[in-house]
Amino acid sequence: MIPTNCLAIIFHSDSKIKATMTDLTATMTDLKIFGIAELIQVQAEFDEAKEANKELLAHITRMECEKMELGCELERTNAKLSESNQSNVELTASIMKLLDKFRQLKRGKEEIYQELAARTCNRNE
């Protein structure tokens, strides 16, 4: 037979073990709850980041479209500018031709005036 004091020690130890096991179970439950809460928070942050990335991607896509539209507009503007430059070159050439003709006419007019002056002087003599 086991002495009473040994039984008391065993019972006391058993009670301590049960209390420790209860504490450990509570701690594990707390850790699980904490871990689940952390996991939920991390998932929420991940979802926020994922949504922010979607918005950023949409913004980048819009910017790319605007960039392409601006590129097209720039090409149209350059084409108009080239056309305008060609017209200016042609207009300048026409003006130069008209200026040459005007100078020729002016020389012809001066020659006519000189000839008239010479005839007038010849008649007076």
Side-chain angles (χ1 to χ4, degrees):
M1 177 149 185
I2 302 176
T4 307
N5 62 350
C6 285
L7 285 175
I9 292 172
I10 291 172
F11 180 74
H12 181 69
S13 294
D14 188 45
S15 295
K16 281 186 174 182
I17 290 172
K18 285 181 181 176
T20 303
M21 290 296 289
T22 302
D23 288 347
L24 283 174
T25 303
T27 303
M28 286 177 58
T29 302
D30 289 346
L31 286 174
K32 283 180 186 175
I33 291 170
F34 179 74
I36 291 170
E38 281 290 313
L39 182 60
I40 289 170
Q41 184 174 345
V42 167
Q43 183 65 45
E45 290 173 3
F46 176 76
D47 290 343
E48 280 181 32
K50 192 174 168 183
E51 189 62 33
N53 282 345
K54 283 181 187 177
E55 291 173 11
L56 185 58
L57 183 59
H59 181 70
I60 289 171
T61 302
R62 284 191 301 274
M63 296 288 283
E64 285 294 322
C65 289
E66 288 178 22
K67 178 181 161 187
M68 289 172 54
E69 288 172 5
L70 287 173
C72 291
E73 184 65 29
L74 182 61
E75 286 179 21
R76 286 191 293 274
T77 301
N78 281 340
K80 288 178 183 177
L81 192 57
S82 293
E83 190 176 302
S84 176
N85 285 343
Q86 183 60 35
S87 296
N88 287 345
V89 167
E90 292 169 1
L91 184 60
T92 301
S94 295
I95 289 171
M96 295 302 285
K97 287 178 185 177
L98 289 173
L99 190 57
D100 284 343
K101 286 184 180 183
F102 175 76
R103 287 181 185 143
Q104 288 173 0
L105 289 173
K106 187 176 177 185
R107 270 185 254 131
K109 177 180 159 186
E110 288 173 2
E111 288 173 4
I112 290 171
Y113 281 145
Q114 287 173 359
E115 190 177 319
L116 284 174
R119 286 184 187 175
T120 305
C121 285
N122 286 342
R123 277 192 221 159
N124 288 341
E125 287 176 8

